[in-house]
Amino acid sequence: MARLYLSPPDVSDADRAALVRAFDGGWIAPLGPEVDAFETELAAATGRVEAVALSSGTAALHLALIIAGVGQGDRVAVQDLTFAATANAVRYVGAEPVFVDSEPSSWNMDPDLLAEALADGERQGRPLRAVITVDLYGQACDYRRIVPLCDAHGVTLIEDAAEALGAGYAGRPAGSFGRFAALSFNGNKIITTSGGGALVTDDPGAASRARFLATQARDPAPHYQHSEIGYNYRLSNLLASLGRSQLGDLERRVERRRSHRAFYGEALGDLAGVEFMPEIEGGYSTFWLTALTIDPEVTGVSREEVRIHLESLDIEARPVWKPMHLQPVFADCVFVGSGVSARLFERGLCLPSGSNLTDADRERVAAEVRRALT
Ligand SMILES: *Cc1c(COP(=O)(O)O)cnc(C)c1O
């Protein structure tokens, strides 16, 4: 039997045809009509005025921080439970991440602890310059509290929506919160361009500055003139064509991932000691990955034993992200919290959740999780 992956690329004949059409169109470059159209469509999908197509989600986070004016020695509150890319971008600009723990009710940044981190910074005469929240596994954060908090303290909010394209919260799309949001089109994300990302914002000046910085910061002159350091961060026109084709299929993709979460919930929800990632009130998650926790004191079996059992059958399951404050590279950073993210890491497991996962395959996954636990 073929290996079952956590979240493999889901591509179609229509995607292939779109890519070949773009190839034949002749714009084999990091600009062109497909990039322009993809940007318009991404802005619409996230309820934004502007989208800037980039080479990765990490590049989007990096540019958001630069444009927000975050630099050497500044402090940035970062959601502790995330993929390293979120925190790496803070280091790219020479700033220091301050990691904020999760709330148990959403697994996302705890607004009370964020308030504490903001107040601490002000008391110490080192106010935070920005906040990066993460819509973990496709679920929006508690923006009803986080947005006013950032506004009240005058800090820039950057939403890392890399896993959340197609999600919603309080009647708005994920990617619409904060001054900037970052999207990812990596091979394992909701839609893919093999590699790619976007920065979305309602500020046209910030968007044109992002395009400028992403194109080597070339001054408007007939010769090559540069007054600032730039980057080579634009998305290829060929890949934008793939992104447009994938974006046209967004709704089905999200519905399919959501149906996996519902299926796993039905199939495993009765097991004592097994709990699924809770859903935030007013939220519509992509369920990029279905995540659950296993309490070894109740089940008598650890998360690792379950994962290893699945691995022995060529089923890829992964622990929940290892929190940033426990990463060797960030060991010297401030952490505000009480250990919620660490417990989620110890007990948390992500199950195969791709939008091309079949009914038969997910039934097999659920049956093997149950076997490992009973
Ligand atoms: C994937 C991901 C990123 C990085 O996106 P790339 O396109 O791979 O650079 C950033 N943050 C989170 C939460 C992610 O899951």
Side-chain angles (χ1 to χ4, degrees):
M1 232 176 303
R3 179 167 172 80
L4 273 189
Y5 289 97
L6 200 63
S7 181
D10 177 7
V11 289
S12 67
D13 289 344
D15 295 340
R16 187 178 182 282
L19 192 54
V20 170
R21 265 199 312 279
F23 185 95
D24 293 341
W27 289 86
I28 318 289
L31 82 175
E34 297 291 336
V35 170
D36 297 345
F38 191 36
E39 289 185 340
T40 304
E41 291 160 9
L42 282 170
T46 52
R48 290 290 198 172
V49 175
E50 290 268 5
V52 181
L54 299 168
S55 54
S56 70
T58 310
L61 292 166
H62 186 192
L63 293 182
L65 287 162
I66 294 173
I67 297 166
V70 178
Q72 198 68 38
D74 286 336
R75 289 162 124 193
V76 177
V78 176
Q79 181 160 324
D80 185 49
L81 191 58
T82 185
F83 177 52
T86 318
N88 284 344
V90 174
R91 287 287 208 214
Y92 295 169
V93 296
E96 282 175 37
V98 171
F99 294 114
V100 180
D101 205 353
S102 295
E103 54 174 1
S105 59
S106 72
W107 294 17
N108 277 321
M109 185 184 279
D110 184 326
D112 289 325
L113 294 176
L114 173 60
E116 198 178 307
L118 289 163
D120 284 351
E122 282 164 13
R123 226 182 359 258
Q124 294 159 4
R126 290 190 64 195
L128 300 176
R129 290 297 304 271
V131 174
I132 311 182
T133 55
V134 180
D135 300 336
L136 192 73
Y137 300 129
Q139 164 151 287
C141 298
D142 185 355
Y143 291 114
R144 272 188 276 234
R145 293 195 55 206
I146 291 172
V147 171
L149 201 53
C150 291
D151 288 346
H153 288 264
V155 292
T156 301
L157 173 61
I158 299 168
E159 177 190 3
D160 182 346
E163 303 167 0
L165 180 61
Y169 177 69
R172 285 169 53 180
S176 71
F177 299 93
R179 183 168 175 218
F180 299 105
L183 305 173
S184 170
F185 317 126
N186 193 12
N188 61 354
K189 295 289 161 58
I190 305 285
I191 69 166
T192 185
T193 57
S194 69
L199 181 68
V200 296
T201 180
D202 294 325
D203 177 349
S208 61
R209 179 131 178 90
R211 289 192 186 92
F212 168 77
L213 290 171
T215 328
Q216 306 285 22
R218 203 178 148 196
D219 292 339
H223 52 277
Y224 284 90
Q225 178 170 302
H226 305 270
S227 310
E228 296 183 62
I229 298 298
Y231 303 87
N232 182 6
Y233 276 174
R234 285 294 257 162
L235 184 71
S236 146
N237 190 64
L238 296 185
L239 299 184
S241 74
L242 179 54
R244 292 185 67 199
S245 181
Q246 293 253 309
L247 188 59
D249 185 38
L250 178 63
E251 215 171 299
R252 180 198 66 83
R253 288 163 178 269
V254 171
E255 277 170 14
R256 184 66 187 160
R257 287 186 195 258
R258 289 179 58 84
S259 87
H260 297 329
R261 164 66 183 79
F263 169 81
Y264 287 131
E266 289 270 307
L268 302 169
D270 65 305
L271 290 168
V274 171
E275 280 182 49
F276 285 81
M277 179 179 180
E279 286 189 74
I280 191 170
E281 201 195 309
Y284 180 86
S285 174
T286 63
F287 290 113
W288 175 55
L289 300 178
T290 290
L292 50 77
T293 55
I294 294 162
D295 182 349
E297 278 165 31
V298 178
T299 61
V301 179
S302 70
R303 183 280 315 279
E304 262 315 88
E305 287 170 305
V306 176
R307 190 190 66 75
I308 289 163
H309 172 71
L310 295 173
E311 187 56 48
S312 74
L313 300 163
D314 236 356
I315 297 170
E316 183 187 34
R318 291 264 183 104
V320 160
W321 298 126
K322 181 170 185 176
M324 291 303 108
H325 82 279
L326 298 176
Q327 298 288 352
V329 71
F330 296 120
D332 59 335
C333 295
V334 175
F335 170 61
V336 182
S338 61
V340 173
S341 61
R343 204 168 53 251
L344 291 172
F345 167 61
E346 269 164 36
R347 298 178 173 188
L349 188 68
C350 300
L351 300 178
S353 304
S355 47
N356 49 5
L357 182 73
T358 66
D359 287 4
D361 285 340
R362 71 189 186 187
E363 275 163 30
R364 200 172 127 234
V365 173
E368 293 302 337
V369 171
R370 179 174 286 276
R371 193 196 312 276
L373 283 171
T374 54

